[in-house]
Amino acid sequence: MLNIVLFGPPGAGKGTQSERLIARYNLVHLSTGDIFRANIKGETELGLLAKSYMDQGNLVPDEVTINMLKSEVLKQENAKGFIFDGFPRTNAQAQALDTFLASINTEITRMIGLEVAENELRERLKKRAEVSGRPDDANPDVIQNRINVYKNETAPVKDYYQKQEKYIAVDGIGSIDDISDRLFAAIDHI
Ligand code: AMP
């Protein structure tokens, strides 16, 4: 299996690039943010819980997120591999993912980090707010909190995979096509 964690701060382009990667490598895309948003739309219990955290730009608690992720993976019996987008976002999630994947006889192949400077992220999120309809894109304080949460809680996950010699950095600045080409080159060289 090819299991890629697509990593990076909010606004790095993970969602856009995930679409390109699943098409080229025939993988299943699992975006925890998208799954939470679908649950909010469907007014499920999980959605209601997640919304209270997401609207503030805080992380949904690990246990809830990990259990949801596991059940989504298990639904995909014939998957050739996964693009994990927006997960893991804490070291506890990364550890739980390793343990879970080992239990189904697979593992993370690589984490690929889209590296984008903070001022560029802010500009991109401001633009995205005009079209995304996401409440967490609309408020500058919430955007700042998401960037802070990324720095404090999520950035250490890079070290977690670096220690396993699985981290690859990709420059996330440029045209969407150029960045896709960099990602394809990185994956084709694994
Ligand atoms: P995203 O679509 O990846 O930007 O995620 C939007 C929001 O969903 C985040 O700000 C969190 O509130 C929540 N979320 C998504 N993925 C996770 C995760 N792995 N752990 C905790 N919360 C998450």
Side-chain angles (χ1 to χ4, degrees):
M1 278 180 120
L2 179 63
N3 295 314
I4 302 288
V5 175
L6 194 58
F7 189 70
K14 300 187 292 294
T16 305
Q17 295 299 338
S18 289
E19 295 303 328
R20 306 280 182 102
L21 296 179
I22 55 167
R24 181 173 163 112
Y25 298 100
N26 200 7
L27 304 172
V28 173
H29 180 204
L30 287 185
S31 156
T32 40
D34 285 352
I35 300 166
F36 285 134
R37 280 184 288 277
N39 275 276
I40 291 173
K41 213 169 160 202
E43 299 182 339
T44 68
E45 210 175 304
L46 175 65
L48 202 65
L49 175 93
K51 186 172 166 48
S52 61
Y53 295 93
M54 290 169 77
D55 283 354
Q56 304 301 314
N58 292 322
L59 295 183
V60 178
D62 280 339
E63 201 188 328
V64 176
T65 307
I66 290 163
N67 286 336
M68 175 185 87
L69 191 278
K70 284 184 191 171
S71 81
E72 292 293 328
V73 169
L74 293 173
K75 278 184 201 166
Q76 306 288 340
E77 268 185 32
N78 298 316
K80 287 180 61 183
F82 293 90
I83 298 285
F84 296 101
D85 162 8
F87 183 94
R89 258 176 159 97
T90 63
N91 273 342
Q93 291 180 12
Q95 275 161 21
L97 181 63
D98 273 357
T99 305
F100 169 64
L101 291 180
S103 78
I104 55 168
N105 296 316
T106 186
E107 62 176 347
I108 290 300
T109 312
R110 290 288 185 279
M111 168 185 267
I112 305 182
L114 285 171
E115 303 204 334
V116 179
E118 198 173 318
N119 54 350
E120 168 83 10
L121 295 175
R122 252 187 272 270
E123 285 304 312
R124 288 188 189 180
L125 289 170
K126 224 191 277 171
K127 276 198 198 138
R128 189 169 84 183
E130 293 164 14
V131 291
S132 74
R134 282 176 53 168
D136 61 345
D137 280 345
N139 178 330
D141 291 339
V142 173
I143 289 181
Q144 188 56 51
N145 190 40
R146 286 162 62 206
I147 293 174
N148 293 344
V149 166
Y150 173 79
K151 283 187 191 160
N152 295 330
E153 300 184 56
T154 304
V157 181
K158 170 177 161 179
D159 303 336
Y160 179 90
Y161 288 98
Q162 248 165 352
K163 279 189 193 129
Q164 297 185 13
E165 300 185 349
K166 288 184 175 176
Y167 182 77
I168 306 175
V170 164
D171 180 2
I173 303 272
S175 74
I176 292 175
D177 283 344
D178 283 350
I179 297 165
S180 301
D181 286 342
R182 288 175 207 149
L183 290 169
F184 297 161
I187 294 174
D188 291 343
H189 279 94
I190 292 173

